[in-house]
Structure formats: C-alpha cells, structure tokens
Amino acid sequence: MMIKVEQIKKQLEALAQFNATPGVGVTRMAFTPEERQARDYLRREMEAVGLEVYTDAAGNMFGRREGTDSMAAPVMIGSHLDTVRHGGAFDGAAGVVVALEVARVMQERKLATTHPVEVVVLTEEEGGRFGAGLYGSRAMVSDLSVELDKTDADGITQRQAMQDFGFDPERIGEAVRKPGSIKAFLELHIEQGPVLEKKRTSLGIVETIVGIRTISVTIHGRADHAGTTPMEMRRDALVGASKVIVAINEIARTIGNQTVATVGTIDLKPGAFNVVPAQVEFTVDLRAPAEGLLVKATEKMERMLGQVCGELGLEYVWDQRLGVSPVTTDKEIVELITEIAVAKGFSSRKMVSGAGHDAMMMAKAFPTGLIFVPSKDGISHNKDEYTSKEQIYAGAMLLKEAILDAAIVTEDSLQSVT
Ligand code: HGY
Ligand code: MN
Ligand code: MN
C-alpha cells in the first residue's frame, strides 16, 4: 500500500502555482482567484481518486469516500489551503495533499472501511484576509453568522467576498456539525518550529495546542503640524503605540511559561512626514499553553495601554477579534498514533503546538489528532518553508495507518491487498 511521495510533491508544486505573489513566497487568501484555482485543482484531484466532492455553507470542501456503513459518522482528514502573505508552500497544503494521497492509496487497493472517510479543505484558517482565522473549522462547531461583516484591507466584507465566490453566507449556520457526527478528525501539518529537527525526530504527536487571542488595538491622538506644534502640546498616536508595543513584548517575557506576543501589523494615519500621527492601528497575537496565562497577559496589557494613553492624552480601542482556549487532542488517538509510529519504526515525540490549527477547533467537538512533520531550520510563514519528501512520507504512512484503524478497514479488503 505504497504512498507515492512523488505524487505528493507534484501536487504541492501545482498548488504553489496558485499564488498572488509569484517569486516572493505563496500568497493565497480566502475567496480569491488564486484560491478558486487551488480549489478547482483539488476538486479534480479528489474526483480522480473516486471521491464525491461537496461544499458546506462555510465554503469547506469535502471529498467523501463511502464506507460499508454509509450512515456511520465519517473519519475526516485534511487541513487548509489559504496562506499568510508571502508564506510557504507547505503550511496547510501539505496536510491536504497527504490526506488526498491516503484516499488515493485506499482507492487503488480497493480498501473498504466501515466508516466513510472524508478529505477536507477548510476555509480561511490563517485569517490573513478577514483577521480572525480558523473560519471553516469554527463554522463547523459554532454559528459564525455574526462575523460576516468583518472587512478586509479593501473594505470588502466577508459576506460580500463569499457571495462573489459563489457561496450563500446567510446559510453559514448550516455548516455546524452535530456532536457525534464526525467519528474523528486528523490533521497532518508541518511543525513550523525547530523542535523535531533539533531532536532528530521524524514525527510530532501533538497533545496540546496553545490558546490564542488576536486583538486589534487602535490608538487615537491628533494630527498636528510637525514644525509648529511644541512637544508638550502633542497627542502623538505613534509615540503612544511605540511605548505600548515595547511594553507588550516585556509583559509576555515577564509572564513567561511559553507566553508569546507578536505585533505583526501596524498602520498609521495620516502618514505624512510633516504631520504628527493622529491614529495608529496594530494587531497583537497573544498565545499561551494555559488560559490563565492568556487572562493575566490580557489584563496587564489592557491596564498598561490605559496608563500610557492617559499620560499622553490619547484614546484607545482594544478589540479582541479571536479568543480560543488551549485544547488537548484525543488521548486515544494520541495512543493510536504513538503505537503506529513505534510499529513502523518512526521516531516520534509528544508535543505542544505553538501554532494554531484547525485541529484546535475540531478538538472542541470531535475526537481529534494532530501529527507534525519537521520544518527545515524551524522556518515557516516564510517563502523558505521546507519539509523533505522523506519527512512527509513518514507522516503520510502514519496518517494512513491511523485512518484505516479509525475508519475500521474491513479484514477481507485488507486480505485482498496484493
Ligand atoms: O497562526 C497560526 O498559528 C497558524 O499558522 N494559523
Ligand atoms: Mn500558518
Ligand atoms: Mn497552517
């Protein structure tokens, strides 16, 4: 039952072509022409291996392989297709393509499973366009109608973007899956960090995914003439933002325990060399392995923001866009994956994921597993992101065996494998 890594490599290279910034990493935002091309490509590849393709109201795309009991809850495998701006070719795409390859092998070997198996492509995991992320997986566990008015950098709402893309966003609530309606969700993903490579380990078996809070902070001051306004009269939004951003970094360092905070975007108005900045908007990406750490960091940061703005005569808005608590993956799935790795002779280690994944949303409602494969030099969200064929092969073998176990491959179909 051979996994064909050349097939995986070819499909990853094909997907990387659907890109808004060729030559400068991969940029494939949700509901864009590039994503449409990637979805259409994958739909064809899914159909080529006999999967029946359908899309839910959140735009999640599923390739279904029937089980002997078509009423049984499916086992789902997959990840996301959207990327960060100027990202790499493996983040998300590797999980989708490996899931597809598992389905191809099952088809080629005519394996029968009790439970249906579904390859899934989840919508807007990165949040690069509408600022929250994990959209498709969140829509499968909760009604996200309230978020449809979020706008992208061009002022287009998620509602409009989904309509233009051919979806009916008003039906988004229909994407929610009932408890028990999915037997298990498994995701293979690149680690996006240095641990597996440093520890010379082939596979990461994730037990905990950190909690994430994504906050948009806007600081309001007053535009003034750069030459005539005395320093003590100014309400300089950028001076305030600069003090706050350095203090945010310090608060995360002081709290420690793997608490991390990142200010990854900043925008100021009016943005002229001879005008005191009136407004600065920036985002804070805050993560920690325990909810209490997120609460403590948030409280400290908001209090500090109020103090700095009070001293400088500025106003502020603290708008939390996303708040996801830390999750643990399914213990039985962790044990299953660990046993398979040992049986197959792959080195593996249990891990905490510092990156967010669709698995963290699915884990809130369904038994979920997350498998990591190494990232070269721990690099990700970067055009130089890379994982070798051999490393992906190990992950694909593990995922295949886990799926056959979870979906309960029938004995006689296994016997028939030549
Ligand atoms: O931000 C993350 O952790 C993921 O790449 N969306
Ligand atoms: Mn990512
Ligand atoms: Mn990802």
Side-chain angles (χ1 to χ4, degrees):
M1 283 199 275
M2 284 308 283
I3 293 282
K4 292 195 172 98
V5 276
E6 287 310 323
Q7 168 87 344
I8 292 172
K9 183 167 177 286
K10 183 175 71 96
Q11 290 173 331
L12 282 172
E13 286 164 358
L15 284 173
Q17 303 310 309
F18 308 128
N19 172 13
T21 56
V24 200
V26 180
T27 302
R28 191 167 51 237
M29 294 288 146
F31 315 122
T32 58
E34 304 76 48
E35 200 205 23
R36 166 59 70 207
Q37 291 172 310
R39 281 171 179 265
D40 291 349
Y41 169 77
L42 270 175
R43 170 185 287 274
R44 292 193 299 273
E45 296 294 301
M46 284 180 173
E47 287 166 348
V49 298
L51 299 179
E52 183 205 326
V53 182
Y54 70 95
T55 303
D56 72 5
N60 298 312
M61 184 166 78
F62 302 81
R64 181 179 171 93
R65 186 169 191 276
E66 268 314 335
T68 54
D69 173 0
S70 60
M71 297 309 288
V75 172
M76 281 190 185
I77 41 178
S79 191
H80 62 94
L81 264 189
D82 65 311
T83 70
V84 294
R85 209 167 291 287
H86 305 298
F90 295 80
D91 178 354
V96 170
V97 165
V98 165
L100 191 56
E101 177 58 9
V102 167
R104 189 197 62 75
V105 168
M106 292 174 74
Q107 188 71 352
E108 184 184 76
R109 300 300 186 203
K110 299 186 180 49
L111 292 177
T113 54
T114 306
H115 292 262
V117 172
E118 294 193 8
V119 173
V120 58
V121 179
L122 293 155
T123 303
E124 218 210 4
E125 187 273 346
E126 294 289 2
R129 183 169 179 189
F130 293 103
L134 302 171
Y135 195 79
S137 46
R138 284 192 295 131
M140 288 179 72
V141 298
S142 58
D143 181 344
L144 294 189
S145 312
V146 293
E147 293 194 14
L148 289 169
D149 292 323
K150 289 198 317 292
T151 57
D152 66 8
D154 301 323
I156 299 169
T157 62
Q158 176 140 358
R159 172 182 281 105
Q160 190 58 54
M162 290 182 79
Q163 279 165 347
D164 296 349
F165 208 68
F167 295 132
D168 175 1
E170 303 314 327
R171 292 179 39 227
I172 192 84
E174 295 172 22
V176 181
R177 298 297 180 107
K178 292 189 179 56
S181 64
I182 296 174
K183 182 181 181 203
F185 172 78
L186 281 96
E187 181 172 9
L188 177 135
H189 203 286
I190 55 172
E191 178 202 341
Q192 302 182 291
V195 174
L196 289 176
E197 186 175 69
K198 209 176 270 175
K199 302 284 185 189
R200 297 180 184 284
T201 308
S202 301
L203 297 164
I205 300 171
V206 176
E207 291 186 298
T208 304
I209 305 174
V210 298
I212 301 179
R213 291 186 178 190
T214 311
I215 303 109
S216 166
V217 178
T218 306
I219 293 180
H220 297 281
R222 187 185 62 208
D224 273 317
H225 192 295
T228 57
T229 313
M231 294 308 280
E232 67 280 7
M233 272 182 62
R234 294 176 181 216
R235 292 170 51 204
D236 186 328
L238 185 54
V239 168
S242 308
K243 287 174 178 272
V244 166
I245 291 168
V246 169
I248 283 173
N249 188 285
E250 203 38 50
I251 287 168
R253 288 171 187 277
T254 308
I255 290 180
N257 295 300
Q258 293 177 295
T259 303
V260 291
T262 310
V263 174
T265 66
I266 190 163
D267 177 71
L268 69 78
K269 292 185 173 61
F273 75 92
N274 56 0
V275 178
V276 174
Q279 178 183 309
V280 176
E281 181 176 0
F282 59 86
T283 52
V284 183
D285 174 313
L286 173 65
R287 306 191 190 201
E291 186 64 17
L293 294 170
L294 290 173
V295 170
K296 189 173 166 191
T298 302
E299 282 168 1
K300 279 177 171 283
M301 289 176 184
E302 267 208 274
R303 195 175 321 117
M304 172 274 300
L305 179 62
Q307 282 161 353
V308 169
C309 288
E311 286 157 16
L312 297 176
L314 304 170
E315 273 89 49
Y316 72 89
V317 176
W318 173 280
D319 172 17
Q320 181 167 305
R321 294 270 178 91
L322 178 71
V324 185
S325 310
V327 292
T328 53
T329 55
D330 183 83
K331 292 207 178 350
E332 275 184 42
I333 293 179
V334 166
E335 286 324 308
L336 169 67
I337 297 175
T338 307
E339 280 163 23
I340 296 170
V342 169
K344 291 284 176 189
F346 292 128
S347 57
S348 67
R349 58 182 297 116
K350 300 217 171 72
M351 295 180 76
V352 174
S353 172
H357 297 288
D358 288 309
M360 72 196 292
M361 293 319 302
M362 301 302 273
K364 294 190 182 301
F366 309 106
T368 294
L370 178 58
I371 300 167
F372 277 170
V373 290
S375 292
K376 186 171 179 320
D377 304 329
I379 291 174
S380 182
H381 283 186
N382 176 312
K383 66 178 178 51
D384 296 331
E385 187 178 270
Y386 179 75
T387 299
S388 73
K389 285 186 299 188
E390 295 71 21
Q391 291 168 327
I392 289 182
Y393 176 79
M397 284 296 286
L398 189 67
L399 187 67
K400 171 174 66 73
E401 294 301 321
I403 293 306
L404 294 180
D405 187 290
I408 311 175
V409 63
T410 59
E411 270 314 306
D412 50 6
S413 75
L414 261 183
Q415 301 312 330
S416 68
V417 172
T418 45

